[in-house]
Amino acid sequence: MLSMAAMASGTWTLQGEKHLVDTLFHAKVGPGTTQTSLSVINEKGTLPLRVFYTTTDLSNEYVDIKHVKAQDKLTGTATVPSMATTKSKPGEVYFAGINADFFHMNGMGLETPIGYPLATTVVNKEVYYAVPWRTQMAIDDNKKIYLADMAYSGAVKKADGSTYPISSVNYLRNDHNLTLYTSRKGASTGTAAGGVEFVIAPENNEVLSFGKAIKFKVSGASSAAGNMSIPSGGFVLSGHGNAANFMNGLADGDVLEVTLSLKMPNGAEVPARDVASGCPMILENGVVLDNDGALEQDQNGNPTRSRQPRTAVGYDATGKNLVMLVVDGRSDISVGAYPKVLADIMREVGCVTAMNFDGGGSSTL
């Protein structure tokens, strides 16, 4: 009650407009972690917001932050609470969480399967999905947080020293692409005929990770039939056009070296243990970014903005305090926020750097 009284009221400035803030709930909910619920309304008494967030001191030895993929596969879907329940076990209990990346749904007109996240996903050092776009949240073994538009790259090197770029992990194989498929995608590659595919296996049963060279051996003969079966826990290397030409001549037992990399804008390698993606960055070094039109478009494809439920993640100036936050929306008691308003809210709760995750009906704390 004392800490609630200390936080009971105040004012925020959101995009130049003063707002009155009341604390509805504030309590410790886990190791190093508090949860707070706020009622926020502008001075005119209009445009109400409900804000829900956790603040976690990651220097606390009893708490960690990890990413979870529903059903441990790319096509898996589940609610945030059910994933917390499913993943909890003695000695490792998930007590707070938010939704992360956008994901493919029915009616999106996209070729990738329902349930796929839109961008790079890493769980406990294993690369589930890697593509060269969008914004990432990464965490390393020391619980250091990285939020940025990170750059993905990958390559395969043959015994003769020649190399070819890996366009993606578990994404579509387009013209002249070399794509690496893992069993996290499903039972088969889903590719069309006309390319070249090999089953490959890591020499030392290593996990497919960023930032390290991993030796693979070709296992069996190549196939041009497409839609090759992916062994349980295994891998398929799939090439088209120039990439297929690069793979010609490979045979059972040949050794390949696969290197995947994720880098910050300054070129520094990210030692990623977990990665989830979103879009866009909204707050950088305390500065609100001009990204209001990055998520929504009008019927003519022009950038626009709208008040929506939003999910964000960020950290303070020490880099040790993590905030996971949801602004509710689409109701009389909370109308939702523009990305710039979301950025201002993240700054008001103590963040200097923050990014946007999936919003709308997916927003969950």
Side-chain angles (χ1 to χ4, degrees):
M1 290 296 293
L2 288 176
S3 68
M4 286 183 71
M7 297 183 64
S9 63
T11 60
W12 286 353
T13 299
L14 306 178
Q15 288 301 289
E17 189 173 19
K18 188 174 288 186
H19 287 67
L20 306 177
V21 181
D22 283 327
T23 301
L24 306 178
F25 176 85
H26 178 76
K28 182 179 178 180
V29 294
T33 302
T34 59
Q35 180 187 337
T36 307
S37 302
L38 304 174
S39 173
V40 181
I41 194 165
N42 65 12
E43 286 190 308
K44 301 172 186 175
T46 61
L47 302 177
L49 296 171
R50 288 291 172 88
V51 178
F52 308 88
Y53 67 98
T54 56
T55 303
T56 300
D57 176 7
L58 292 176
S59 66
N60 186 302
E61 64 179 310
Y62 297 108
V63 72
D64 202 352
I65 177 76
K66 295 185 177 182
H67 293 141
V68 172
K69 182 67 184 75
Q71 302 176 43
D72 299 323
K73 58 184 181 180
L74 281 174
T75 53
T77 57
T79 65
V80 173
S82 68
M83 283 191 279
T85 300
T86 301
K87 284 295 178 181
S88 290
K89 59 187 179 183
E92 189 172 286
V93 177
Y94 290 81
F95 64 91
I98 52 173
N99 59 295
D101 198 4
F102 301 72
F103 61 95
H104 295 281
M105 301 177 293
N106 274 320
M108 291 184 71
L110 300 167
E111 295 179 53
T112 46
I114 295 169
Y116 253 52
L118 293 195
T120 299
T121 303
V122 178
V123 179
N124 194 25
K125 296 191 177 181
E126 181 182 350
V127 178
Y128 278 46
Y129 193 49
V131 289
W133 56 78
R134 295 179 74 77
T135 306
Q136 281 78 38
M137 174 192 182
I139 307 154
D140 67 17
D141 283 333
N142 298 314
K143 297 189 283 187
K144 181 178 178 180
I145 308 164
Y146 304 78
L147 300 180
D149 296 327
M150 301 176 198
Y152 156 78
S153 62
V156 170
K157 183 166 70 173
K158 296 195 296 190
D160 63 7
S162 60
T163 64
Y164 199 92
I166 299 173
S167 60
S168 66
V169 176
N170 286 332
Y171 187 59
L172 303 173
R173 188 198 70 190
N174 293 315
D175 292 346
H176 305 297
N177 282 172
L178 184 62
T179 302
L180 180 59
Y181 291 102
T182 82
S183 57
R184 298 294 182 182
K185 178 188 182 295
S188 61
T189 62
T191 54
V196 174
E197 296 183 323
F198 285 93
V199 171
I200 60 174
E203 282 193 326
N204 299 311
N205 294 318
E206 292 186 79
V207 171
L208 184 67
S209 303
F210 281 122
K212 62 187 298 186
I214 303 174
K215 298 284 189 181
F216 283 82
K217 277 189 177 180
V218 174
S219 177
S222 67
S223 172
N227 198 30
M228 186 176 238
S229 294
I230 306 172
S232 177
F235 303 83
V236 170
L237 195 60
S238 178
H240 174 274
N242 293 336
N245 294 337
F246 170 80
M247 292 169 63
N248 282 334
L250 288 177
D252 183 40
D254 284 352
V255 176
L256 303 169
E257 185 176 271
V258 172
T259 305
L260 303 179
S261 180
L262 191 65
K263 293 183 178 180
M264 295 288 284
N266 64 5
E269 185 82 32
V270 180
R273 183 196 69 193
D274 292 273
V275 178
S277 296
C279 178
M281 290 293 294
I282 55 174
L283 184 66
E284 236 170 4
N285 298 319
V287 177
V288 173
L289 302 179
D290 188 16
N291 280 334
D292 258 2
L295 294 173
E296 288 107 22
Q297 297 178 338
D298 63 21
Q299 59 184 4
N300 297 315
N302 299 311
T304 185
R305 65 177 191 165
S306 59
R307 294 185 178 275
Q308 299 292 344
R310 306 280 181 186
T311 301
V313 64
Y315 56 81
D316 70 352
T318 71
K320 297 292 186 181
N321 289 296
L322 174 78
V323 172
M324 300 190 299
L325 182 143
V326 164
V327 179
D328 207 356
R330 302 178 183 173
S331 74
D332 292 337
I333 62 172
S334 190
V335 296
Y338 302 128
K340 279 187 178 180
V341 169
L342 180 66
D344 274 335
I345 291 172
M346 292 298 283
R347 187 164 58 179
E348 290 285 359
V349 301
C351 294
V352 296
T353 300
M355 66 176 282
N356 182 78
F357 277 148
D358 191 7
S362 298
S363 280
T364 305
L365 174 68

